[in-house]
Amino acid sequence: MGLLDALSPQRRADVQAAVCAVETSMLPVPSSSYRALAETPLRMVVESLLASAGRTLLAVGRGYISGYDEQVRGRLAREGIGVLPVEDRAVLTLVVVFSVVIPRASGAVPPETFWTQGEPVLKEQLRNAAVSDGALDAALRRLTDADLVRYARPGLLLGHQFLRLTPQVETRLFEELVLLADPHGALAESIRRRREGAGPAEGRGGWTEESGG
């Protein structure tokens, strides 16, 4: 008997509604909005259903949202499924560095701040990238369509897909970008020392249209 079959019709509907919400919502879903997110036994059923589809339930702030399971995400990246074009990756990396990595490293943005709440990046800051202006504009259109980047006055912020990053991906991504942006800084040295002590570094996953979700 499946997990859903063991529930009453009302509880089954609660679980299905919660799964649909966390899979489709742009923002984390408040647990108070769905019984299956507020009640631990039902939330465990939600987690099991998501896991059966290669997904995972993520607690973000006071709510929940879904993302790819680590193994599934890694396999998709290795197989090139959903991996962004080179120019899109270059532009997205710059937005991440200017909006989140440098402000965090300097203390301007607290480490616990969501990736989507970094410092706005002016489009002019991206003009010096190794892509033409036309390629930059095209990349930004694709990135905004995928909700990886969004426009917010006075500039650009990371899109809501970054809320779907698992904690492991968040940590690995931030560390890789610190090593890229400030390879000789104190934080980069700390990252290298920790990795050397932990053994071989984990493989890097490529940027995908849904790095987290």
Side-chain angles (χ1 to χ4, degrees):
M1 178 181 292
L3 291 173
L4 283 178
D5 295 332
L7 300 175
S8 68
Q10 181 58 55
R11 293 292 188 267
R12 191 182 308 142
D14 290 339
V15 169
Q16 291 171 329
V19 170
C20 181
V22 298
E23 284 281 74
T24 61
S25 178
M26 180 180 294
L27 297 171
V29 180
S31 56
S32 58
S33 299
Y34 290 87
R35 177 178 296 174
L37 296 178
E39 297 182 6
T40 301
L42 290 181
R43 189 167 64 247
M44 293 174 65
V45 178
V46 171
E47 292 173 342
S48 295
L49 288 177
L50 289 171
S52 68
R55 308 284 285 175
T56 187
L57 187 66
L58 303 170
V60 181
R62 297 183 178 180
Y64 292 91
I65 201 164
S66 61
Y68 277 119
D69 171 81
E70 274 290 277
Q71 292 184 341
V72 172
R73 184 204 60 80
R75 186 166 68 248
L76 290 174
R78 288 192 297 272
E79 295 176 359
I81 298 175
V83 174
L84 296 171
V86 173
E87 291 175 341
D88 293 18
R89 294 202 300 271
V91 172
L92 181 57
T93 297
L94 287 174
V95 176
V96 174
V97 168
F98 286 127
S99 180
V100 178
V101 176
I102 292 177
R104 278 192 188 180
S106 67
V109 172
E112 65 274 10
T113 301
F114 293 155
W115 289 76
T116 54
Q117 296 174 346
E119 293 190 349
V121 179
L122 299 178
K123 194 173 180 180
E124 288 69 28
Q125 292 177 263
L126 308 177
R127 294 293 183 191
N128 294 326
V131 294
S132 66
D133 287 354
L136 171 62
D137 291 338
L140 286 175
R141 282 195 297 271
R142 290 189 293 268
L143 292 171
T144 53
D145 287 345
D147 199 17
L148 289 168
V149 169
R150 60 193 173 94
Y151 286 94
R153 293 181 181 179
L156 298 157
L157 292 174
L158 294 177
H160 297 102
Q161 286 294 335
F162 276 81
L163 295 172
R164 296 182 181 273
L165 296 178
T166 63
Q168 298 94 322
V169 171
E170 284 195 58
T171 299
R172 187 161 59 247
L173 175 58
F174 180 72
E175 290 182 350
E176 291 294 343
L177 290 170
V178 167
L179 293 172
L180 173 66
D182 189 18
H184 304 297
L187 186 54
E189 290 296 330
S190 174
I191 291 170
R192 278 192 288 268
R193 286 197 301 270
R194 181 182 56 77
R195 289 185 174 184
E196 289 170 358
E202 296 180 5
R204 302 177 188 177
W207 283 114
T208 66
E209 292 185 12
E210 292 187 345
S211 294

